[in-house]
Amino acid sequence: DLGTLYYYNTTSCDASGNCNITGPYNFTTASNNAPTIDAVTSVSAQDPLPDAIKNVLVNFTVSDQQGISDLNHSSAHAIFNSSGITRTGNCSNNTIDADTVTYNCSVPMQYYDPAGTWTINVTVIDNSQASAYNATTDFTYAELFYIVVGPKAFGFGSLYSGRNGEAAASNPLLIDNLGNVNLTQINITAYDLVNGSFSINVSSITVNVSDGAGGTALQNNTIINIPFANVTVAAAGVDDNESLYFYISTPNVLPITYVSSNDWVITADG
């Protein structure tokens, strides 16, 4: 065993069978040498994937004077840290020589993990529980602005002249944040509703977040910010969303089908 003190005696005999015993003598076996991490590969800036996991790869090389059989390969891990959040990945091993091994690690990052600098920690333990640890490298996780809006086909239902503040049949319009930035501003660019030469001015439509008539009036081909509309980053994988409610006033319209002259555009900013 490593680092153990042993005692022994020696016996010598001549041709006539006369023997002499000397001792005790002792020796200590060499102590264990902890493994060392020789290198950690650099990790380039990473872009999150909307509503999905991004596997980030990192490799590190380890040497052990007792040989790679002294390493507990299952203990090798790569751990990313940022703002109190930890992501841990498992590693496979690739032998370089009798004393050296490279660990290839994959760490799953969530789409809602915060943008910024993430510290890379790599570690491995040998069979004597001596460890090697390195936390000198990092990488950048980029910002992701990404929203999903539904339903994609939004309608107001049947319209009648002389009505004010009628709720849209498709209410509410849901906006999901599938990125990693808190969205504090939601904007709508709307267009007039038309049927040939007939039209409904989009300014007769109001939007709010409180499910009640009234709100902010839209304007044709103009970016309009919706007050109090915001959507934060998902917490622990539970998507956050904002509900927008649309109301329309139709003092004088013909009973025909109207459609938007262009696709409406919804944007969000942090």
Side-chain angles (χ1 to χ4, degrees):
D1 293 335
L2 297 172
T4 301
L5 176 64
Y6 289 92
Y7 293 92
Y8 67 95
N9 297 315
T10 62
T11 301
S12 58
C13 301
D14 60 20
S16 300
N18 300 308
C19 297
N20 182 48
I21 300 175
T22 60
Y25 304 102
N26 65 76
F27 68 94
T28 302
T29 56
S31 298
N32 179 59
N33 293 298
T36 58
I37 295 177
D38 303 321
V40 181
T41 58
S42 61
V43 176
S44 61
Q46 300 291 310
D47 294 318
L49 299 176
D51 197 26
I53 290 174
K54 175 67 174 284
N55 288 306
V56 180
L57 306 180
V58 60
N59 304 327
F60 65 102
T61 302
V62 177
S63 295
D64 192 313
Q65 294 184 23
Q66 282 76 49
I68 61 172
S69 62
D70 184 48
L71 293 169
N72 181 354
H73 297 311
S74 65
S75 71
H77 287 94
I79 303 169
F80 298 164
N81 296 285
S82 179
S83 304
I85 298 173
T86 298
R87 299 290 179 231
T88 302
N90 294 321
C91 308
S92 61
N93 56 287
N94 180 32
T95 299
I96 304 301
D97 56 40
D99 299 324
T100 310
V101 64
T102 293
Y103 291 102
N104 309 111
C105 309
S106 177
V107 181
M109 299 284 292
Q110 299 291 341
Y111 68 91
Y112 50 81
D113 283 338
T117 300
W118 285 71
T119 300
I120 300 172
N121 305 278
V122 293
T123 184
V124 68
I125 298 173
D126 69 12
N127 293 329
S128 298
Q129 299 303 302
S131 64
Y133 175 85
N134 183 293
T136 61
T137 59
D138 57 43
F139 72 98
T140 299
Y141 202 52
E143 288 185 335
L144 174 62
F145 289 85
Y146 196 92
I147 60 173
V148 172
V149 178
K152 295 185 181 301
F154 193 89
F156 286 88
S158 299
L159 302 177
Y160 301 94
S161 292
R163 300 290 181 86
N164 291 312
E166 288 287 305
S170 295
N171 276 342
L173 184 72
L174 294 178
I175 301 176
D176 288 309
N177 185 353
L178 300 183
N180 63 358
V181 179
N182 288 323
L183 303 175
T184 59
Q185 182 171 307
I186 295 176
N187 314 297
I188 299 178
T189 301
Y191 295 89
D192 291 342
L193 308 181
V194 299
N195 184 329
S197 61
F198 302 101
S199 67
I200 298 175
N201 194 305
V202 77
S203 62
S204 64
I205 299 173
T206 59
V207 185
N208 64 59
V209 297
S210 58
D211 191 15
T216 299
L218 300 177
Q219 297 181 37
N220 186 56
N221 195 22
T222 302
I223 298 174
I224 299 297
N225 171 245
I226 308 304
F228 309 111
N230 63 85
V231 57
T232 57
V233 172
V238 179
D239 294 339
D240 194 12
N241 59 61
E242 179 66 277
S243 297
L244 299 183
Y245 297 89
F246 293 75
Y247 295 84
I248 187 168
S249 296
T250 52
N252 185 23
V253 296
L254 292 177
I256 56 179
T257 300
Y258 298 85
V259 296
S260 177
S261 55
N262 283 288
D263 288 339
W264 291 16
V265 178
I266 298 178
T267 60
D269 299 306

